């Protein structure tokens, strides 16, 4: 299932992320803000448990989070989305999957993988741009092979081709995106998109 963010601040952030005149410092701030909104959306259904709490006036029963999180950015661009998750959630582990897209073939090459314990945890795979879907499909497969079961894919911009590829390979994985764009061009870049996210994030 595809979940498209519907929030005025999200639309504002996406507009300025798309703007080619946006400088890296502002780009990073906007990426943080829209990732924060996505983090909230992708965890809306997290389970809770009841805890007894003594307020200054009385003892009450209240809700706390009952399931730890694992956040797995796809390097390098996914690093730009990690901080909102670690800022929001007290019980979160971070894993890393390094996949580099060949700009000629658009095929992802794996160069790094480091994952924490996955059993019983909500796993959020984060990658700003879901273009062909090749990197996301590969990352989700690796995580499942290592025991991950409850997965979500979180991206800032998605293309129909990437969404279709993920749904075909991993129909059980919901996708959360801030913008669902029109199509890929001949070079497999998203249109209208926002260019190379990693390059714009880090000014390279």
């Amino acid at each position: 299932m595809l979940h498209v963010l519907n929030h005025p601040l999200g639309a504002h952030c996406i507009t300025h992320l798309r703007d080619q005149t946006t400088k890296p410092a502002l780009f990073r701030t906007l990426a943080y803000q829209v990732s924060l909104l996505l983090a909230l959306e992708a965890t809306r259904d997290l389970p809770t448990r009841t805890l007894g709490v003594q307020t200054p006036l009385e003892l009450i029963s209240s809700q706390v989070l009952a399931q730890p999180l694992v956040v797995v950015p796809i390097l390098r661009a996914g690093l730009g989305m990690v901080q909102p998750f670690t800022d929001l959630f007290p019980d979160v582990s971070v894993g890393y999957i390094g996949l580099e897209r060949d700009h000629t073939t658009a095929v992802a090459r794996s160069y790094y993988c480091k994952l924490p314990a996955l059993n019983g945890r909500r796993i959020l795979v984060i990658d700003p741009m879901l273009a062909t879907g090749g990197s996301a499909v590969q990352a989700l497969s690796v995580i499942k092979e290592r025991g991950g079961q409850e997965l979500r894919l979180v991206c800032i911009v998605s293309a129909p081709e990437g969404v279709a590829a993920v749904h075909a390979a991993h129909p059980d994985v919901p996708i959360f995106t801030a913008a669902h764009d029109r199509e890929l061009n001949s070079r497999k870049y998203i249109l209208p998109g926002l260019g190379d996210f990693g390059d714009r994030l880090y000014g390279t």
Side-chain angles (χ1 to χ4, degrees):
M1 180 178 291
L2 178 66
H3 303 266
V4 181
L5 183 67
N6 182 17
H7 193 287
L9 179 59
H12 173 89
C13 292
I14 288 293
T15 296
H16 291 289
L17 285 169
R18 294 191 194 280
D19 187 344
Q20 66 177 354
T21 67
T22 298
K23 303 300 183 187
L26 177 57
F27 193 93
R28 288 190 288 271
T29 298
L30 294 164
Y32 178 95
Q33 291 174 341
V34 74
S35 297
L36 187 70
L37 294 173
L38 287 166
L40 292 170
E41 285 297 312
T43 55
R44 185 181 292 275
D45 61 342
L46 272 177
T48 59
R49 61 182 176 85
T50 301
L51 182 69
V53 175
Q54 180 67 55
T55 80
L57 299 175
E58 63 180 352
L59 179 65
I60 63 167
S61 296
S62 195
Q63 302 301 303
V64 293
L65 295 174
Q67 184 181 34
L69 293 179
V70 172
V71 176
V72 183
I74 298 178
L75 303 176
R76 72 178 167 149
L79 288 174
M81 296 177 67
V82 172
Q83 189 176 343
F85 293 88
T86 57
D87 285 349
L88 279 174
F89 295 98
D91 192 4
V92 60
S93 300
V94 182
Y96 300 93
I97 293 181
L99 296 169
E100 185 175 43
R101 186 169 88 155
D102 185 300
H103 290 284
T104 303
T105 65
V107 175
R109 176 185 66 85
S110 175
Y111 64 89
Y112 185 76
C113 182
K114 181 74 171 178
L115 297 173
L118 303 175
N119 188 42
R121 299 188 175 207
R122 169 75 59 87
I123 303 162
L124 301 169
V125 178
I126 54 176
D127 192 12
M129 309 298 286
L130 179 58
T132 65
S135 295
V137 167
Q138 192 171 338
L140 292 167
S141 295
V142 168
I143 291 169
K144 285 183 176 180
E145 288 167 3
R146 300 196 180 193
Q149 295 181 338
E150 190 179 344
L151 286 81
R152 305 284 189 274
L153 176 63
V154 183
C155 53
I156 291 176
V157 179
S158 62
E161 294 89 338
V163 171
V166 171
H167 282 164
H170 300 285
D172 58 315
V173 177
I175 300 170
F176 294 82
T177 185
H180 188 52
D181 280 8
R182 186 176 73 247
E183 62 185 351
L184 299 180
N185 66 11
S186 60
R187 297 177 57 210
K188 307 301 182 185
Y189 279 87
I190 301 173
L191 296 175
L194 47 78
D196 188 297
F197 190 93
D199 287 352
R200 297 195 62 196
L201 187 72
Y202 298 115
T204 56

